[in-house]
Amino acid sequence: MKRSLSYPHLILSTLGALVFVLGGLLANTTFVQAHPLASSGTIDMAFAQASREFQVPQPLLESICYMEGRLSEHSGSPSIDGGYGCMHLVKNRRVDTLDQAAKLLHVNVRQLKINIATNIRGGAAILRQDALRINNHHLPTKLSGWYSTVEVYSDASTPYVAAMYANGVYTIMNRGFRAADDAREPVMLAPQHVTPDKSMGNKATPAATMPQGCSNDGQTDYPGAVDCILPANSFDCSQVKNSSCTYKSANRPNDDAINFVGIHDIEGTAQDALNTFQNVSGGDSIHYIVDSDGTIYQVLHEKDIAYHLGNLWYNDHSIGIEHAGYAATGYQWYNATEYLASAKLVAYLLGKYHIPLDHEHIVGHGTVPAPTPVSAPNHVDPGPYWLWDYYLNLIKQQGVSAVSQATSQASQAHTVVLHPTTDQQLNSADGTETTANFNFFNLYTGPSTSSSLVPSGSNGTDVTDETYNVEPDISYYYVTKRSDTAGSGDTMYEIYYGEADQLGRNPKSEFTNGKLAWLAVPPGYATTGRGTLVTLGLKNSRVAKVYGRPTSSKSDVIGDTPNNSRYVSGLTLTEDGTNNRWYEINYNHRQAWVPASEVR
């Protein structure tokens, strides 16, 4: 999808999503605090006070605030779903718990957006209101009895996603956590050892009215998806001759193996995506769309080939998923229900097509190379605010079978992979950072962060530019490492990296050159990488050729790298229709390909 042009300073949380509440059903639902907690109070006091005031268990409030917003108020900026603060009070075309909370508390809406204590009170008021409504005007007497209320609070449109959300909250309560808020005040939740009571049944919000061209008819590949599958006689390029079309019918995986799942963001809402893909003149297509409320729309059959990754070979071998959200605007954070619904969909696809669970096979649009140098650069979504560690862990938690694990990859000496401490499992205990979830890491020309950045397409001014950085969960070989001489505390790793060093020439060239550069890694972010080490060398040449796809065509050469340079390969494949073996390599921010004949 198109690239957003604006972005904030840095903020993204992991999560968010809230609740559909029927107003006017309850008596005695106006709550007024005589002495509202000022912003100078601690966050622990805010949780304790809100718990007493609204009779909502404090561990429940703490777990939702941590799961939804990592204890952050996000500088008053909304999520993609229009939710504010760590309790994600929502105002959008489906839900308005933000105004409801303001009315219940008799406070200004702005206070709920910018004051975390008020936001916690607002979330507690909504939870109390939901609990009274679904429990016949009684509050649960035990922590275990709040499970159905949490399902409602998720604002999920389908029962299974609402249950995933509630399970996620109870998982946090049972594991406990230690973290810090925006003011770096610590919050510690001890493990609760509680078994949720699920006897009340699922209270998920009914799905909204079906978009035009869609129906809930059960005729989708993925169970529970909304059927928005495009008519072949209008959109299939195999049937439509000399006219606009958006995809190609196929019989995968029989004719082409499905090796990848492609992750995108929409640069807007799910309806924006449907508008695009239902336009036969648009030329783009996708298999699935995940909305911020967990609704999944299927646009193409999985067996057919979507035009989505900007590289025809990857299109032939992948299934594409769009997500409501923006690549460049970190404040429009991807929310909890959306991550959960997407993770369950991807787990289903991995099991069905025997795809390994790793970032080499679950690719972002931004990790797919352009097929040729004249077509570069490719898109950059889902962008620097997509939480890859968190997302891959969610997929793993859906019970991906052992057959789909990347068991062939081995840990390798002198390799490094980044796992940001702000993007870990839900029980992350680093306790040091909460909102700095910007997940691109820069490369420099020298072993110091005071050195200049490697050549880029934007001189470091575009937050989504991928020409001078890497992202988590991708392994790189390093020649050496040392402490940052600028004193930042980072460790500098010298790696081979395909630099876009010809962008400033006249004429400009997208051709890349493998060179040594220095990757800056904050403390605690680096672990030993996994994959196959490959040393490159082409006979009768000083450099080896690097390709944008595993096909033996000179036009697919997108760069080169010096003989004896080393890279990490996450997978090998045989070229379609041949016996030629190819290695995928982590060449720069993106994947690239080299033939086995170049590997020593």
Side-chain angles (χ1 to χ4, degrees):
M1 307 297 288
K2 66 182 181 179
R3 180 184 297 184
S4 175
L5 297 179
S6 61
Y7 57 92
H9 176 55
L10 55 89
I11 297 175
L12 168 76
S13 92
T14 51
L15 309 168
L18 260 172
V19 50
F20 178 82
V21 179
L22 299 177
L25 294 181
L26 307 176
N28 301 318
T29 55
T30 298
F31 308 101
V32 180
Q33 178 72 14
H35 302 287
L37 185 70
S39 58
S40 60
T42 68
I43 191 170
D44 274 338
M45 290 173 57
F47 284 125
Q49 186 169 294
S51 176
R52 290 193 301 268
E53 183 180 1
F54 301 106
Q55 297 177 283
V56 178
Q58 184 170 339
L60 180 60
L61 295 175
E62 292 174 347
S63 297
I64 291 175
C65 181
Y66 181 66
M67 178 166 150
E68 286 285 9
R70 282 296 197 271
L71 309 179
S72 173
E73 201 63 7
H74 306 284
S75 299
S77 299
S79 75
I80 182 57
D81 210 25
Y84 292 85
C86 78
M87 300 302 289
H88 200 254
L89 297 171
V90 174
K91 184 172 184 177
N92 59 35
R93 65 177 182 272
R94 298 176 295 104
V95 183
D96 186 1
T97 54
L98 182 69
D99 287 334
Q100 285 186 46
K103 184 176 180 181
L104 291 172
L105 270 58
H106 292 275
V107 299
N108 186 282
V109 166
R110 177 169 169 76
Q111 286 183 260
L112 290 165
K113 293 180 179 181
I114 66 172
N115 184 293
I116 195 166
T118 308
N119 189 267
I120 291 168
R121 289 184 63 226
I126 296 297
L127 282 162
R128 176 188 173 95
Q129 181 171 267
D130 293 342
L132 289 172
R133 177 169 61 83
I134 68 175
N135 289 283
N136 195 25
H137 302 284
H138 292 86
L139 291 176
T141 58
K142 298 180 179 179
L143 183 58
S144 59
W146 286 83
Y147 183 87
S148 293
T149 301
V150 177
E151 287 184 310
V152 173
Y153 197 80
S154 74
D155 189 33
S157 61
T158 55
Y160 76 84
V161 176
M164 288 173 66
Y165 183 96
N167 290 338
V169 171
Y170 274 79
T171 295
I172 293 173
M173 284 195 287
N174 279 319
R175 289 177 176 173
F177 67 85
R178 180 170 60 88
D181 67 1
D182 290 334
R184 306 188 74 80
E185 293 183 358
V187 175
M188 182 179 294
L189 174 65
Q192 299 300 299
H193 308 296
V194 58
T195 300
D197 180 0
K198 303 180 182 181
S199 62
M200 284 289 294
N202 196 291
K203 306 294 183 181
T205 303
T209 303
M210 290 294 105
Q212 185 175 356
C214 303
S215 63
N216 204 357
D217 57 13
Q219 301 300 307
T220 54
D221 296 323
Y222 180 60
V226 175
D227 184 355
C228 304
I229 297 173
L230 300 173
N233 60 0
S234 301
F235 290 82
D236 179 5
C237 296
S238 300
Q239 295 191 32
V240 180
K241 305 298 182 182
N242 300 318
S243 181
S244 297
C245 60
T246 65
Y247 77 95
K248 184 174 72 173
S249 60
N251 189 28
R252 302 184 308 167
N254 294 326
D255 44 13
D256 284 308
I258 297 176
N259 305 111
F260 305 94
V261 176
I263 303 300
H264 305 258
D265 77 74
I266 293 164
E267 295 301 307
T269 66
Q271 185 60 61
D272 292 333
L274 284 169
N275 293 343
T276 296
F277 297 125
Q278 290 173 342
N279 177 9
V280 73
S281 300
D284 297 318
S285 49
I286 202 71
H287 293 94
Y288 291 101
I289 299 168
V290 180
D291 203 352
S292 55
D293 66 352
T295 302
I296 294 175
Y297 302 93
Q298 184 167 2
V299 182
L300 294 182
H301 287 293
E302 294 164 9
K303 65 183 179 65
D304 295 328
I305 297 170
Y307 299 152
H308 65 110
L309 282 173
N311 185 317
L312 183 58
W313 182 87
Y314 277 88
N315 290 342
D316 289 344
H317 296 277
S318 67
I319 290 174
I321 306 174
E322 290 278 0
H323 298 80
Y326 299 87
T329 50
Y331 62 88
Q332 292 279 4
W333 26 291
Y334 304 101
N335 59 356
T337 307
E338 182 175 24
Y339 271 121
L340 289 162
S342 179
K344 191 168 184 68
L345 169 60
V346 173
Y348 153 84
L349 294 171
L350 299 189
K352 184 174 182 178
Y353 297 105
H354 308 289
I355 301 171
L357 174 53
D358 56 41
H359 198 3
E360 278 75 28
H361 294 83
I362 305 172
V363 296
H365 199 163
T367 56
V368 171
T372 67
V374 296
S375 56
N378 208 340
H379 286 207
V380 296
D381 53 308
Y385 295 101
W386 185 263
L387 301 179
W388 280 105
D389 266 1
Y390 174 72
Y391 185 57
L392 294 174
N393 269 317
L394 283 182
I395 297 168
K396 183 178 180 180
Q397 292 167 18
Q398 306 315 309
V400 178
S401 62
V403 70
S404 65
Q405 300 297 314
T407 55
S408 62
Q409 290 195 19
S411 298
Q412 299 285 357
H414 264 258
T415 63
V416 62
V417 61
L418 303 187
H419 296 289
T421 58
T422 52
D423 178 12
Q424 303 293 321
Q425 298 185 44
L426 293 178
N427 62 336
S428 172
D430 68 281
T432 57
E433 299 193 48
T434 56
T435 60
N437 286 316
F438 185 87
N439 282 338
F440 284 2
F441 301 91
N442 293 344
L443 288 109
Y444 297 84
T445 56
S448 169
T449 53
S450 62
S451 303
S452 59
L453 294 170
V454 300
S456 74
S458 67
N459 297 317
T461 59
D462 181 355
V463 73
T464 67
D465 185 357
E466 295 183 345
T467 55
Y468 62 98
N469 47 49
V470 302
E471 66 187 49
D473 294 282
I474 299 176
S475 297
Y476 296 89
Y477 172 81
Y478 65 89
V479 176
T480 188
K481 64 178 180 179
R482 63 183 66 173
S483 297
D484 178 15
T485 58
S488 69
D490 290 358
T491 300
M492 309 296 290
Y493 291 82
E494 190 177 27
I495 69 172
Y496 282 100
Y497 187 84
E499 294 186 12
D501 55 359
Q502 301 181 38
L503 293 174
R505 296 184 181 180
N506 188 13
K508 181 178 73 172
S509 173
E510 300 283 357
F511 195 86
T512 53
N513 301 105
K515 296 183 177 181
L516 286 170
W518 292 87
L519 173 65
V521 180
Y525 281 32
T527 62
T528 301
R530 295 177 64 84
T532 301
L533 291 183
V534 295
T535 301
L536 300 183
L538 186 64
K539 291 182 180 180
N540 303 317
S541 175
R542 292 181 301 171
V543 295
K545 297 176 181 177
V546 178
Y547 293 74
R549 49 191 171 190
T551 55
S552 303
S553 171
K554 291 182 179 180
S555 64
D556 294 338
V557 176
I558 60 172
D560 59 29
T561 190
N563 282 350
N564 299 316
S565 55
R566 304 193 76 181
Y567 295 87
V568 178
S569 174
L571 66 145
T572 60
L573 291 173
T574 301
E575 182 178 347
D576 294 338
T578 74
N579 293 320
N580 299 330
R581 196 69 173 166
W582 289 78
Y583 288 82
E584 175 270 336
I585 62 171
N586 299 324
Y587 178 57
N588 41 34
H589 199 120
R590 304 179 188 269
Q591 296 181 345
W593 296 87
V594 292
S597 59
E598 292 186 5
V599 175
R600 296 192 282 110

